[in-house]
Amino acid sequence: MVKSAVSTMAAMVLLICSPSLRAESPYVAYHAETVSPMKADGEVVAAKVSWSCYGTSCTTKAPEALNQAEMCRDLARQVGPLKAYQFGDASLDAAQLEQCNGASKGQTASQTMAMPPQGKPMAPMTPTLAPVVQPVAVKPAVTVKPAAAVKPTKEALFGTSEQWKQQYAVRLQAAPTAIADEINQKNSQLKTAGKSFSVGLTSVYGMPLARITGLVLPANPADLPVPPARMQAMDHQVNCSTATVRATDSHVDMRDLFVVTRVRYQGYCGGCWAFATLAALETSSLLKNGGDASELELSVPQMLSCAWTFPGRCNGGMQASAAGYASDHPIVTNAEWGPFDAWYAAGEPNRCDSFNASSSPYKVRRWSYVSGSAGNPSPSRQSIKEAIVQYGSVAASMQTSPVFKAYASGVYDMADNTTIVPDHVVQIIGWDDESRAWLIKNSWGGGWGEGGFGWIRYETNLIGGYAVWVEAETIAGSPCAVNSPHPAAGGGRESFSFYELHRIQSKQQGEMVVEVYDALIGSDRGRKVQQYHVHGPSIIADARNQSWRFVPSGSVDARPTYRILNHGYVNFLTESDGKVVTLPGNGNNSQRWYVERTGVTDSYAIRNVQSGRAMQLPPGNNNDEAAVTTAPYTGALNQTFGIETWRDDSGLGNKVAMGVYIVPVHAGSTALDLREGNAANGTPFQIWQQIEHNPNQLFKISPIDNSDAFLIQIKPGTLKCLGVSEASMADGAPTELQDCSSGDSQAWHLLPVAREGGRFMILNKQSGKSLDVLGIGTANGTRVGQWEFVNGNNQKWELRDWR
């Protein structure tokens, strides 16, 4: 960007358009005569801007799809008022030139971008839909409304898929033939390659990546910004929204909660780090305080001008620096500071010393890296989900590419990053496990992607790197500021471990426990929950019906909730018409329960989240097989239960030892394996083609003493076990063949996967991390290690008996 003093002589300034997607494309000269020449060290210099001329359409005649008015405005902003402007065989008339020069006087882009070149209508490069045209008008007063009172529709805020498709069709129709052919050819290639997305003439199609991204990481990872210790741990907060999303949900789109603000356009400013972080702060504030997502727009110019980051402003920065600045300084709205386009057109003036933002209610209360470590660039998928559920979104980095600039719809799965260094920051606002993709909000305007949003496949182009969550401050006087947590009576139990088994025992009848009664043999539905006698060790196999796991399932009104999973049948407790039954877990609220401490010592009330009714036994009933029902909570003894930890010592499937192939669910005919004949300590495990009776693929699974953990021992007489390296607490720690020592690194939990009979998660006892395939490939030799438990297909295994 050229910013030099202006003198009094007239001169002709030559603009050279850079070639676009094809290196062999010719250059095109554009001429502009300035009112006064621009000098550097006494010499007249030429101004150059990085406008693309769209590949093979670069001719002496200006491309119709190129926004000449915006190009003229950008030049006038850099070099001062223009006396003349010519492109190809066309030029601007006096009225258009006056509008162009308005940019050098602080006029906003919305006032200068509307003019078409003389005699030629411009193909729109930004959406024509009112909801996504940039910049967004902001009301001068900041108002905070309860979420329930906000009635915008998702479509009104962000448009519909049909509108996006129509916009791309209009632009493509107006584009030069060469551009249309280029895009159509690319879409044909993507379809042939089996890709899940399409490209189009986006708002940034011909713009250099270096000018529209802006993430700059410090050369030394030790120099990454780090939040104070008091800010680093996520905790539960009371959110204004009454809707609930969970990290275990298969699909989440925070736009559905009306806590995602409008898409913005960063233009030729490397400020993605500021746009994404402020978008995350906006979302957190709306989630926590309520308000109107269509009106809230925090000041990007304040962040770009004032945040402590290197190199700073439109030259680049990172989201952690932005979060740190906003934790110390309130952020005003665009209405108070002024729109981004006007600030950019005026030469990025710095008002930090003179502007007082202390009265603004928008500030970061706490922030940190999703991974918990500034030096870890790759947080796990599950930890990103948990941060989104808690705070509404994360600001995360990724690697862009020329194809990504042209993304129009679908799930971006090109994996075309050419480096290991991210260059861009986006807001992640949701996910879809079926598509295996993150939902992102970009800052390239509504003319990119699906109205400014896009889906990008997990682990593609470094998506999620250096992800940062932010928690907004509570706004005094907001409708939700007076909301307080609703603690369970007596404080309640803080948490239950998913890995522990429990018995739910009636407080009224101490020798009776809640058990599943298999009323419909052979069916997965309709199993009643009843009261039975406590079973002793002699008939321990039957006690599996009485063993339950409490699976944490987020919170409602700041109270933790649980899905209560029967260990014997892998079904969830649910409430239906006053009856408690077990059904396959499908994520609905009828299967989520509060577990509240009552006034009776070591007793709990188990209340259904959806109905609020408490689980109970018939008053005074001490008979076997008494049916468990629900009723309004009254605190009666028949509604209180003791919850005691219980161990199932029977081993997997009631077998003392089991010979199995360990087969990854998604890998088909591959199995856990060692290279043939290799029995040395430290040999890493891999996925290899399944071969019948290959000793390297056969394992014995044996209980360890009286615990619920197992040793996984290779079948040949090597006395070697599946273990993990000394760094077993770390994600990605390789699984290895080791001398069997029964140490924690060789102790594994085999957890059944709900609704997927015969499949297991294999979790390491020491680290709590799950056995995983490192990467999505299933080729022979794919490495196997351990990773944070994320419930992905790579972590699901079948244990096939080889005997």
Side-chain angles (χ1 to χ4, degrees), residues 2 7 10 48 101 144 169 231 240 273 291 317 321 328 388 430 481 660 755 760 763:
V2 180
S7 69
K48 296 181 180 180
N101 285 332
V144 180
M231 292 186 176
C240 190
W273 55 277
S321 297
D328 287 345
I388 293 173
V660 296
R755 294 178 291 154
F760 297 84
L763 290 100

Side-chain angles (χ1 to χ4, degrees), residues 135-184:
V136 177
V138 181
K139 295 185 178 180
V142 177
T143 57
V144 180
K145 302 177 183 178
V150 178
K151 298 296 183 182
T153 64
K154 185 176 176 180
E155 291 74 17
L157 282 172
F158 309 117
T160 66
S161 59
E162 289 305 315
Q163 289 171 317
W164 305 328
K165 291 177 183 178
Q166 183 180 10
Q167 289 173 17
Y168 283 113
V170 169
R171 291 181 213 149
L172 198 61
Q173 187 176 10
T177 301
I179 294 296
D181 290 346
E182 188 174 71
I183 290 173
N184 289 331

Side-chain angles (χ1 to χ4, degrees), residues 418-536:
T418 57
T419 72
I420 58 171
V421 180
D423 62 353
H424 191 46
V425 186
V426 295
Q427 183 189 20
I428 302 181
I429 60 170
W431 67 84
D432 187 279
D433 284 338
E434 183 175 350
S435 299
R436 295 179 53 78
W438 295 116
L439 174 59
I440 67 170
K441 174 186 172 184
N442 205 348
S443 51
W444 289 350
W448 175 89
E450 299 179 351
F453 298 88
W455 294 93
I456 180 167
R457 184 66 50 83
Y458 296 147
E459 287 88 41
T460 296
N461 285 45
L462 309 179
I463 183 67
Y466 300 98
V468 163
W469 56 265
V470 299
E471 178 188 351
E473 285 280 12
T474 299
I475 297 178
S478 72
C480 300
V482 297
N483 285 2
S484 59
H486 304 286
R493 182 167 177 170
E494 288 297 323
S495 64
F496 290 88
S497 169
F498 178 76
Y499 311 111
E500 294 177 350
L501 296 178
H502 303 275
R503 280 186 171 172
I504 303 174
Q505 185 166 331
S506 168
K507 198 66 180 179
Q508 180 184 16
Q509 302 293 340
E511 297 302 315
M512 302 288 185
V513 295
V514 172
E515 184 176 34
V516 169
Y517 172 60
D518 196 357
L520 300 177
I521 295 178
S523 170
D524 284 336
R525 302 183 66 84
R527 292 185 176 122
K528 299 176 182 178
V529 178
Q530 299 185 317
Q531 177 179 257
Y532 276 80
H533 278 297
V534 175
H535 289 291

Side-chain angles (χ1 to χ4, degrees), residues 676-689:
E676 185 175 355
N678 194 331
N681 277 1
T683 303
F685 277 89
Q686 301 166 308
I687 283 182
W688 216 268
Q689 182 178 358

Side-chain angles (χ1 to χ4, degrees), residues 293-564:
S294 66
E295 295 181 356
L296 180 58
E297 190 172 75
L298 299 180
S299 176
V300 171
Q302 179 189 350
M303 181 66 77
L304 289 172
S305 297
C306 309
W308 340 286
T309 190
F310 176 83
R313 303 173 74 169
C314 283
N315 297 313
M318 69 174 299
Q319 61 270 39
S321 297
Y325 171 80
S327 68
D328 287 345
H329 300 83
I331 306 296
V332 299
T333 65
N334 267 358
E336 296 170 271
W337 187 286
F340 166 75
D341 283 357
W343 172 83
Y344 182 66
E348 306 173 21
N350 191 331
R351 304 168 58 194
C352 298
D353 294 336
S354 60
F355 192 87
N356 184 3
S358 60
S359 61
S360 176
Y362 300 106
K363 188 177 178 183
V364 169
R365 175 176 174 260
R366 295 182 313 119
W367 73 276
S368 190
Y369 295 91
V370 169
S371 64
S373 170
N376 183 353
S378 302
S380 72
R381 190 184 312 162
Q382 188 67 12
S383 61
I384 293 177
K385 289 181 177 180
E386 290 169 357
I388 293 173
V389 166
Q390 189 68 6
Y391 304 115
S393 69
V394 298
S397 63
M398 64 169 294
Q399 174 71 52
T400 59
S401 70
V403 178
F404 187 72
K405 288 191 303 181
Y407 166 82
S409 65
V411 176
Y412 189 82
D413 57 354
M414 194 70 176
D416 54 352
N417 50 300
T418 57
T419 72
I420 58 171
V421 180
D423 62 353
H424 191 46
V425 186
V426 295
Q427 183 189 20
I428 302 181
I429 60 170
W431 67 84
D432 187 279
D433 284 338
E434 183 175 350
S435 299
R436 295 179 53 78
W438 295 116
L439 174 59
I440 67 170
K441 174 186 172 184
N442 205 348
S443 51
W444 289 350
W448 175 89
E450 299 179 351
F453 298 88
W455 294 93
I456 180 167
R457 184 66 50 83
Y458 296 147
E459 287 88 41
T460 296
N461 285 45
L462 309 179
I463 183 67
Y466 300 98
V468 163
W469 56 265
V470 299
E471 178 188 351
E473 285 280 12
T474 299
I475 297 178
S478 72
C480 300
V482 297
N483 285 2
S484 59
H486 304 286
R493 182 167 177 170
E494 288 297 323
S495 64
F496 290 88
S497 169
F498 178 76
Y499 311 111
E500 294 177 350
L501 296 178
H502 303 275
R503 280 186 171 172
I504 303 174
Q505 185 166 331
S506 168
K507 198 66 180 179
Q508 180 184 16
Q509 302 293 340
E511 297 302 315
M512 302 288 185
V513 295
V514 172
E515 184 176 34
V516 169
Y517 172 60
D518 196 357
L520 300 177
I521 295 178
S523 170
D524 284 336
R525 302 183 66 84
R527 292 185 176 122
K528 299 176 182 178
V529 178
Q530 299 185 317
Q531 177 179 257
Y532 276 80
H533 278 297
V534 175
H535 289 291
S538 61
I539 46 176
I540 193 69
D542 292 338
R544 291 175 66 88
N545 297 344
Q546 300 170 346
S547 301
W548 302 82
R549 287 194 173 101
F550 287 74
V551 184
S553 298
S555 62
V556 176
D557 294 333
R559 303 158 70 186
T561 66
Y562 300 89
R563 302 191 192 282
I564 303 177

